[in-house]
Amino acid sequence: VLQESNGPTDAYAAIAKADRLTQEPESIRKWREEQKKRLEELDAASKVTEQEWREKAKKDLEEWNLRQNEQVEKNRANNRIADKAFYQQPDADVIGYVASEEAFLKESKEETPGSEWEKVAQLCDFNPKSSKQSKDVSRMRSVLISLKQTPLSR
């Protein structure tokens, strides 16, 4: 049974390889073998180096995560302390801050009804020039001022 093929068969390839090896000078054959050894050694060394880098990177990442978690915890603790100190201030309605809800509810229970708009006015910043980075709230400001001047009747 004959089969047609476009390339050399396995037997022909083996013969061609044997012919090439016999025709190749001894010095070139030795160089190929040495080159093959050198490349294998370089591959092994690069794998070892890569493994060392991976271990170092993993260690560095763990240390960074620990430092980051410590910093986050410090920031949380500092923020809690600052919040407590802020809410204990008598003048917590400084521009850019919101007064404590507890203090607002406490004041609203103590005072007479009808003074709610005065409390809202204390909490709001009615100076349009002081908040350049915030949204335009001029319409809301005008509504609050008009409600403060002429409160709704019930």
Side-chain angles (χ1 to χ4, degrees), residues 8 46 112 144:
S46 68
T112 60
L144 288 174

Side-chain angles (χ1 to χ4, degrees), residues 4-5 70 75 89 116:
E4 292 183 25
S5 67
E70 288 174 4
N75 287 345
Q89 291 178 357
E116 290 87 8

Side-chain angles (χ1 to χ4, degrees), residues 8-141:
T9 61
D10 288 341
Y12 180 74
I15 292 171
K17 184 177 180 183
D19 285 344
R20 192 180 73 228
L21 289 176
T22 56
Q23 293 174 357
E24 195 171 58
E26 183 70 19
S27 61
I28 294 178
R29 187 180 58 78
K30 284 183 181 179
W31 177 83
R32 274 189 211 280
E33 290 172 2
E34 290 174 6
Q35 187 69 11
K36 187 176 180 182
K37 283 182 185 177
R38 240 180 295 153
L39 291 175
E40 288 173 355
E41 290 172 1
L42 286 174
D43 285 344
S46 68
K47 286 181 183 178
V48 168
T49 306
E50 182 181 350
Q51 185 64 26
E52 290 173 357
W53 285 353
R54 286 182 190 269
E55 290 172 4
K56 184 179 183 297
K58 189 174 183 180
K59 180 183 169 188
D60 290 347
L61 184 62
E62 289 173 359
E63 289 175 2
W64 183 84
N65 282 333
L66 286 174
R67 284 194 309 265
Q68 186 70 14
N69 289 339
E70 288 174 4
Q71 187 64 36
V72 166
E73 289 302 319
K74 285 180 185 177
N75 287 345
R76 284 182 184 164
N78 289 340
N79 288 344
R80 285 187 190 117
I81 292 169
D83 284 347
K84 286 180 183 178
F86 172 73
Y87 289 134
Q88 291 173 355
Q89 291 178 357
D91 298 325
D93 58 349
V94 178
I95 296 173
Y97 292 105
V98 178
S100 168
E101 289 182 33
E102 298 166 357
F104 184 74
L105 292 174
K106 180 180 164 187
E107 289 176 9
S108 65
K109 290 177 184 175
E110 292 176 357
E111 293 186 19
T112 60
S115 61
E116 290 87 8
W117 289 114
E118 292 173 7
K119 293 176 194 159
V120 171
Q122 287 177 348
L123 294 175
C124 294
D125 176 23
F126 289 110
N127 187 359
K129 295 180 182 177
S130 66
S131 57
K132 292 183 180 179
Q133 295 178 348
S134 62
K135 293 182 179 179
D136 182 24
V137 291
S138 57
R139 185 171 177 214
M140 182 67 176
R141 187 180 298 116

